[in-house]
Amino acid sequence: MPAGPLLTILIFLPAVGALALLFLRSDDHEWIRRLAFVVSLAEFILSVWWLLRGVPLGSTGYQLEEFHRWIWLGAHGSAPQTNINYHLGADGISMFLVILTTFLTVVSILCSWSSIQKRVKEFFIALLLLEVGVVGVFLSLDLFLFFLFWEVMLIPMYLLIGIWGHDRRIYAAVKFILYTMAGSIFMLVGILWLYNATGSFDLPTIQQALQNGTLVLPRATETLLFLAFFVAFAIKVPLFPFHTWLPDAHVEAPTAGSVMLAGVLLKMGTYGMIRFCLPLFPNASHRFAPIVGTLAIIGIIYGALVALVQPNLKKLVAYSSVSHLGFVVLGIFAFHQISMQGAVFQMLAHGISTGGLFLLVGMLYDRRHTFEITQFGGLATPMPKLAAFFLFVVLSSLGLPMLNGFVGEFLILLGTYQVHWNWAAWAATGVILSACYLLWSYQRVFFGEITVEKNRELPDLSSRERAILVAMAVITLWMGIGSVFITGRTATASDSVIEQMNRPPRAEEAKVPVKLAPQVGPQSDRSAAGVAPKTNSLERLGTR
């Protein structure tokens, strides 16, 4: 596929749509919704078309790369000139996360069609700008650019919770942004240290320096850098015990905010672990793996147990995310090819199934304006279609074979068992507990006698809601049956991460890292800048 600014268009097309919304009258709600939907749908179609063609099956390294010098930083060490680069690229992992983001943005706009009645224009602008930040995170190959999009994403999500949320929305919004920014501070320090050591913010350049021994990290330094990045990503996942912001954010957020938060924002944390923690700091990752694995298992069991006793249906789904994302972290830090592929697949499956659960809970809220399970009961009688879709999504979330939730969890447990059988044994209890809290909650909401008179006349799904849920159900079934379409395209990128962790051990008594001449452009430009071309290792390792 010919190179061009395709990834730039994918990132900033929603921003153009948000700008166009500014020219519409604030009271012209129908055209505001239509324009936001058209822009998001175009973004989704382009992401599927360009990324599936641009990242072919079995391809290594980053594809569709864009590289431009952006900000001149001046001399650094022996290098006469260093730059912050506008560097984008996609591989088998990031491409599906981008497609998931663009799909869930379309779903979020549709599910907010009638439920958002105040500040409608501002709401859809915030939703489109949130898409800009998330897509930018998944496509950035420059650490500064990655951090920029990471922070940009916080602002629209903060506004979505704080303005259009429920009763305790301000508390939840402030808690969300404080937790995330606290982790971001540590990550920023780590990014600045890597620039000071290498003279570059470019991720492939830093990876190459670590691979060929130009940059050697002493044990203590690598440990601190690993922790700086890991804490930021663990808060975003969120990994136990950094999870306390999540239930409040989910419960108070509007339905679209919960769908985007569970569907893609949490995946930014696990994506960061795969993209940065493991390949950049493999020795520290191995040293901390027992601790991280233990925290993941605690999160799996703790999240399931707390979900089991929740009286609030939306908070129950929120704690289920803590449990399911624990599986993803476990699969990553098992350092096995099968578990890594399972972790990537589970990230995508969780976005669909848990996003679907939040959609359905939001539809119940639109009708009853409550999340309390005791206020429901017997809803299968007045709303048989909604009850059927709810059961289908519940079964996918608990991991029923032939549906998407089964594939990821099975691969994670299979790969983890081959290296740590005891981890897999403990984690498997989470599968049992998920069936308990999901099926029990479904029984209390939809079965039994109708005890609240308001529930007798509740309307069933509208045509718009049916269209949303049919699309979610089709993707759920397709991922469960045709999982090889995804795993075949993520296998090379997942294996590359494991390979990068197996670089030869270096002498850890090195005190001062060697300064690295920065990357200033493509391969020919690097030779002109006095940097010897590195053609073999990067192609083999898939880092360029």
Side-chain angles (χ1 to χ4, degrees):
M1 188 172 182
L6 302 184
L7 299 186
T8 297
I9 295 174
L10 283 182
I11 292 175
F12 292 106
L13 178 60
V16 175
L19 181 63
L21 288 177
L22 291 175
F23 293 95
L24 296 178
R25 294 199 322 267
S26 296
D27 60 349
D28 196 357
H29 294 173
E30 192 64 26
W31 277 104
I32 289 171
R33 296 183 180 106
R34 289 177 181 176
L35 180 57
F37 172 71
V38 169
V39 171
S40 63
L41 183 62
E43 172 84 350
F44 170 62
I45 294 173
L46 290 177
S47 67
V48 173
W49 179 252
W50 286 345
L51 291 177
L52 289 182
R53 293 181 65 210
V55 187
L57 182 66
S59 60
T60 60
Y62 299 115
Q63 308 297 319
L64 301 174
E65 280 193 85
E66 298 178 36
F67 189 101
H68 306 284
R69 301 179 206 175
W70 183 22
I71 301 176
W72 182 71
L73 299 177
H76 182 278
S78 60
Q81 177 180 331
T82 60
N83 302 281
I84 294 175
N85 301 312
Y86 178 79
H87 192 184
L88 305 176
D91 65 357
I93 297 174
S94 59
M95 64 176 288
F96 283 110
L97 290 172
V98 171
I99 293 172
L100 176 66
T101 302
T102 58
F103 171 72
L104 289 181
T105 303
V106 177
V107 170
S108 298
I109 289 175
L110 286 175
C111 77
S112 306
W113 203 269
S114 59
S115 59
I116 300 298
Q117 296 295 332
K118 68 173 184 177
R119 298 183 179 271
V120 175
K121 180 163 74 172
E122 292 86 346
F123 176 85
F124 288 106
I125 289 175
L127 202 55
L128 290 174
L129 292 180
L130 177 63
E131 184 178 21
V132 172
V134 177
V135 173
V137 164
F138 292 139
L139 295 179
S140 295
L141 296 181
D142 183 275
L143 293 179
F144 180 87
L145 191 64
F146 174 86
F147 183 79
L148 177 64
F149 282 119
W150 181 278
E151 294 299 297
V152 164
M153 169 276 306
L154 295 180
I155 300 171
M157 193 67 225
Y158 172 79
L159 296 177
L160 286 172
I161 299 173
I163 297 176
W164 294 277
H166 302 297
D167 296 339
R168 299 174 71 243
R169 57 185 179 272
I170 301 299
Y171 167 77
V174 171
K175 192 173 183 180
F176 159 76
I177 201 166
L178 288 180
Y179 265 74
T180 308
M181 291 191 70
S184 300
I185 293 172
F186 293 107
M187 181 167 63
L188 179 60
V189 172
I191 291 172
L192 293 177
W193 192 99
L194 288 173
Y195 168 75
N196 184 65
T198 63
S200 177
F201 288 103
D202 193 65
L203 177 61
T205 301
I206 296 172
Q207 287 178 327
Q208 183 185 40
L210 292 168
Q211 290 290 330
N212 60 27
T214 306
L215 174 63
V216 180
L217 298 178
R219 180 188 178 98
T221 302
E222 184 181 8
T223 298
L224 291 175
L225 288 172
F226 169 83
L227 291 175
F229 280 85
F230 178 79
V231 169
F233 300 141
I235 291 174
K236 179 63 73 177
V237 169
L239 181 67
F240 178 91
F242 306 104
H243 67 284
T244 57
W245 65 269
L246 181 67
D248 292 313
H250 269 313
V251 171
E252 302 305 325
T255 300
S258 294
V259 170
M260 293 299 291
L261 184 60
V264 290
L265 265 68
L266 305 186
K267 312 309 181 299
M268 292 165 55
T270 50
Y271 172 80
M273 293 177 185
I274 295 173
R275 182 68 78 212
F276 298 98
C277 289
L278 269 60
L280 294 182
F281 319 114
N283 296 325
S285 298
H286 279 290
R287 287 196 297 272
F288 280 91
I291 298 175
V292 177
T294 301
L295 293 178
I297 293 170
I298 292 174
I300 292 170
I301 300 174
Y302 167 82
L305 290 176
V306 176
L308 194 60
V309 299
Q310 283 302 315
N312 184 298
L313 186 59
K314 198 173 188 184
K315 189 171 285 189
L316 182 150
V317 180
Y319 274 106
S320 75
S321 289
V322 177
S323 181
H324 286 125
L325 268 297
F327 277 101
V328 177
V329 176
L330 184 69
I332 293 171
F333 279 85
F335 308 130
H336 193 277
Q337 285 88 346
I338 295 177
S339 67
M340 183 68 72
Q341 285 196 53
V344 174
F345 193 95
Q346 183 65 9
M347 290 161 63
L348 304 173
H350 176 267
I352 297 297
S353 58
T354 304
L357 284 175
F358 278 117
L359 276 174
L360 289 157
V361 172
M363 292 173 186
L364 288 177
Y365 181 84
D366 290 341
R367 290 158 170 78
R368 286 287 284 109
H369 301 288
T370 182
F371 296 122
E372 296 300 316
I373 296 177
T374 55
Q375 293 298 309
F376 300 120
L379 296 186
T381 300
M383 295 187 292
K385 294 187 179 78
L386 190 146
F389 279 109
F390 207 114
L391 178 61
F392 186 85
V393 178
V394 161
L395 294 175
S396 73
S397 184
L398 62 84
L400 184 72
M402 302 296 288
L403 299 180
N404 60 356
F406 172 77
V407 179
E409 290 184 356
F410 177 78
L411 292 177
I412 290 171
L413 293 175
L414 178 63
T416 303
Y417 185 87
Q418 297 186 37
V419 288
H420 300 290
W421 68 267
N422 50 340
W423 289 10
W426 281 105
T429 61
V431 178
I432 302 171
L433 292 173
S434 66
C436 295
Y437 65 75
L438 286 169
L439 293 177
W440 189 35
S441 64
Y442 183 83
Q443 177 190 0
R444 288 180 289 167
V445 171
F446 290 98
F447 291 159
E449 296 293 328
I450 298 178
T451 57
V452 180
E453 288 301 317
K454 292 180 181 179
N455 295 337
R456 295 186 184 277
E457 304 300 327
L458 293 180
D460 208 347
L461 296 175
S462 66
S463 57
R464 173 180 52 83
E465 291 170 333
R466 282 200 303 272
I468 297 172
L469 294 175
V470 165
M472 300 288 281
V474 168
I475 293 176
T476 298
L477 184 61
W478 172 77
M479 289 180 67
I481 297 175
S483 57
V484 68
F485 181 87
I486 296 176
T487 56
R489 286 165 171 78
T490 60
T492 303
S494 300
D495 293 346
S496 177
V497 174
I498 303 297
E499 289 180 16
Q500 291 174 61
M501 296 188 66
N502 296 329
R503 60 174 177 250
R506 307 288 180 181
E508 295 199 352
E509 57 269 12
K511 299 299 181 183
V512 182
V514 179
K515 300 297 181 182
L516 176 70
Q519 183 177 8
V520 296
Q523 197 70 31
S524 58
D525 294 338
R526 297 181 65 200
S527 299
V531 183
K534 307 285 184 182
T535 57
N536 52 357
S537 62
L538 288 179
E539 288 299 324
R540 178 175 58 82
L541 292 169
T543 60
R544 187 79 166 111

